[in-house]
Amino acid sequence: MQRIIQEPSRSTPVKAETEVLVIGGGSAGVAAAVAAARNGAEVILVERLGYLGGLATGGLIILLLTLDDGRGRQVIGGLCQEVTDRVAKRGAAHFPPQSQWGSEDAELVRRDQRWGLVWGHGPHRVRYSVAYDPEEFKFALNQMVEEAKVKLLLHAYACDAIVEGDRVTGVTFQGKSGRFAILAKVVIDASGDGDIFTSAGAAYEREDVLPWLWFTMGGVKNPEAAIDAGGWFFHTLGEGRVLLPWGATERVTRKIDATNPEDLTYAELECRKRVMEEVDRLRREIPGFANAHLCHIADQLGITESRRLVGTYMLGRDDVDIPCDDVIAITGHWTKYEALYYIPYRSLLPKEFSNLLVAGRCISVDHRVHHATKEIPPCLATGEAAGTAAALAVRGGIDPKRLEVKLLQQRLTTHGAILRV
Ligand SMILES: Cc1cc2nc3c(=O)[nH]c(=O)nc-3n(C[C@H](O)[C@H](O)[C@H](O)COP(=O)(O)OP(=O)(O)OC[C@H]3O[C@@H](n4cnc5c(N)ncnc54)[C@H](O)[C@@H]3O)c2cc1C
């Protein structure tokens, strides 16, 4: 039988009160915070680690797949395009020129496959996908947060939602110096794992997944030849560097619950050990790797999925290519061509709460559609939509659930989001 202890009740100091509180500084959370602040809200963004970007930086998932519809038309713009522009301006992004998007030219496709920009089954086309440097991506996110005057709090772990009726009025946090609360008019859960909607009591589904651990190596001689010889790695930014999406071939075969510390500990240790074995194998067996060195093993396990909200609407595979009235973002599919999902505002809204929004990989979609909506570009797009909605709701003196979606759509398109193709 599970032993239980009773913790003494305690008084928790309120550190701050704000209009919009965003939990999680991954791609979705940063986009939410920046969008909310740019639309006039006072925003606090809280992240448990010491840097921004989540999987898109610390997970070394350094490929934006994709900003297009598979036919050469861009379907994700807004903040995703802005981050790309900022990183590209510093020479730290690699992507095909617009004139080539949608091209079926086999040589161009092969060129982009070497960079990890084209996936899935053919017949292939050139996609608008982007390889980038993770440190530069972090820098761009820091700049955007700072310029928008978002109040950023790193190294604080969100513990519990503070619930009053159908409202989440704040969140408690744990830092090294103790526990504290932040109160807010609107809360956005961009924790990736849905920590806030779970503690609030919203409905969700959870998947066990196989863990990944991407890494990079440098000093590779003639990486192109090694890739063409069938190596499972890609060019990445930096001379002689390759990105190894470890977990795709030889891998840990035990699925884990990414919200369970014991499972995570197993995966961290096992993946790291296997990655080092792979480094040794590459040096031993693959021409060009003899003197290669390990640059970086991802700081975070690659967790594709954990909890997904069961919200006001759950976008399902049958919704493919079907527009909806309350669309707040459109995404293509990274392994498929000509498959579009129109993400409704309802997928960001828990059924149970009126002022809680959800953004990023844990929005309300089914397991299949999650393959598409979990990608970094749609995470940035749903974050941008959640942040914009939060700011509009605060300005209008209403909860996000009662927001006029047309108003949100107008504001998003004014800021470069694409809601129609
Ligand atoms: C193996 C793998 C391969 C992938 N390949 C690609 C690809 O090639 N291209 C692509 O576009 N996408 C890819 N993805 C998907 C993509 O990387 C992620 O789904 C996306 O980055 C998720 O963004 P997010 O902001 O929703 O969540 P995350 O990036 O997970 O961010 C969540 C943030 O919240 C913080 N946080 C969590 N809990 C708390 C808490 N309690 N308190 C405070 N902070 C908290 C975390 O530290 C983190 O910074 C891949 C994913 C995986 C795992």
Side-chain angles (χ1 to χ4, degrees):
M1 199 178 73
Q2 176 73 61
R3 285 186 69 191
I4 301 281
I5 55 133
Q6 298 301 327
E7 287 192 80
S9 70
R10 56 178 151 192
S11 302
T12 303
V14 174
K15 193 184 182 72
E17 296 187 36
T18 188
E19 290 178 332
V20 178
L21 174 61
V22 182
I23 309 303
S27 44
V30 171
V34 169
R38 286 187 186 172
N39 282 286
E42 181 192 21
V43 184
I44 298 180
L45 168 63
V46 188
E47 164 58 45
R48 64 179 166 167
L49 302 174
Y51 59 87
L52 297 176
L55 284 166
T57 57
L60 277 185
I61 312 292
I62 46 181
L63 299 167
L64 299 178
L65 303 182
T66 76
L67 285 78
D68 74 16
D69 66 347
R71 294 176 201 161
R73 285 182 303 183
Q74 184 170 358
V75 293
I76 295 188
L79 289 175
C80 183
Q81 183 59 54
E82 180 177 332
V83 185
T84 303
D85 290 342
R86 284 179 182 248
V87 178
K89 204 168 160 197
R90 290 177 52 85
H94 175 94
F95 52 89
Q98 183 170 8
S99 57
Q100 295 175 357
W101 302 345
S103 167
E104 293 174 11
D105 183 308
E107 266 188 37
L108 295 180
V109 166
R110 184 66 203 126
R111 175 200 65 189
D112 289 354
Q113 282 173 327
R114 291 189 193 105
W115 278 86
L117 301 181
V118 174
W119 294 72
H121 301 291
H124 288 299
R125 294 189 197 140
V126 172
R127 313 251 2 207
Y128 180 20
S129 296
V130 181
Y132 58 87
D133 179 278
E135 297 307 320
E136 295 279 354
F137 203 86
K138 284 181 196 166
F139 181 62
L141 299 182
N142 285 355
Q143 279 190 319
M144 288 163 75
V145 163
E146 195 178 335
E147 287 165 16
K149 300 198 171 17
V150 169
K151 185 159 185 228
L152 176 63
L153 200 57
L154 299 173
H155 297 290
Y157 200 104
C159 302
D160 291 311
I162 305 164
V163 177
E164 290 176 26
D166 74 340
R167 306 190 79 245
V168 174
T169 54
V171 174
T172 56
F173 296 90
Q174 184 71 42
K176 287 269 187 192
S177 52
R179 202 170 161 98
F180 60 90
I182 298 177
L183 305 182
K185 290 183 177 152
V186 178
V187 175
I188 300 176
D189 185 347
S191 64
D193 298 315
D195 290 6
I196 303 308
F197 67 65
T198 303
S199 87
Y204 67 86
E205 290 180 350
R206 192 184 59 69
E207 295 285 336
D208 288 348
V209 291
L210 296 170
W212 301 64
L213 194 61
W214 289 24
F215 65 102
T216 54
M217 291 183 77
V220 180
K221 284 226 174 70
N222 198 356
E224 186 136 326
I227 294 167
D228 285 345
W232 189 246
F233 37 81
F234 307 116
H235 288 302
T236 191
L237 275 293
E239 195 65 33
R241 281 201 185 183
V242 291
L243 172 67
L244 299 103
W246 188 84
T249 47
E250 288 297 309
R251 62 185 307 160
V252 169
T253 51
R254 183 178 126 192
K255 286 191 173 181
I256 64 156
D257 167 0
T259 64
N260 177 333
E262 281 165 2
D263 277 14
L264 287 167
T265 305
Y266 157 78
E268 294 277 6
L269 296 179
E270 196 60 26
C271 288
R272 209 159 270 270
K273 189 163 66 188
R274 304 277 199 95
V275 161
M276 292 310 273
E277 286 169 8
E278 179 63 1
V279 167
D280 290 346
R281 187 193 71 79
L282 288 162
R283 284 194 186 128
R284 215 173 37 240
E285 294 179 11
I286 305 298
F289 275 76
N291 297 312
H293 56 273
L294 184 57
C295 294
H296 192 182
I297 300 178
D299 302 332
Q300 304 183 18
L301 285 171
I303 299 300
T304 49
E305 198 171 358
S306 57
R307 301 189 192 103
R308 280 178 283 103
L309 178 73
V310 176
T312 306
Y313 187 75
M314 184 179 269
L315 193 68
R317 65 190 298 201
D318 293 342
D319 292 313
V320 67
D321 289 329
I322 303 176
C324 56
D325 288 343
D326 62 335
V327 60
I328 47 82
I330 304 175
T331 185
H333 198 298
W334 61 290
T335 63
K336 294 182 187 150
Y337 296 83
E338 302 180 19
L340 283 183
Y341 288 105
Y342 295 78
I343 304 172
Y345 184 48
R346 287 163 292 159
S347 281
L348 314 189
L349 294 170
K351 286 181 283 201
E352 301 84 352
F353 301 101
S354 60
N355 71 331
L356 178 64
L357 286 155
V358 177
R361 64 181 162 94
C362 51
I363 63 168
S364 180
V365 297
D366 73 13
H367 176 62
R368 290 267 179 169
V369 176
H370 176 84
H371 282 289
T373 57
K374 77 165 196 314
E375 297 295 280
I376 301 162
C379 285
L380 284 158
T382 57
E384 183 170 1
T388 307
L392 290 175
V394 167
R395 290 280 75 83
I398 52 169
D399 280 339
K401 208 168 221 171
R402 282 173 253 300
L403 185 68
E404 168 78 61
V405 181
K406 287 271 173 294
L407 192 65
L408 171 60
Q409 291 168 328
Q410 274 164 14
R411 189 62 68 93
L412 286 170
T413 45
T414 307
H415 286 258
I418 300 166
L419 302 184
R420 196 184 300 163
V421 287

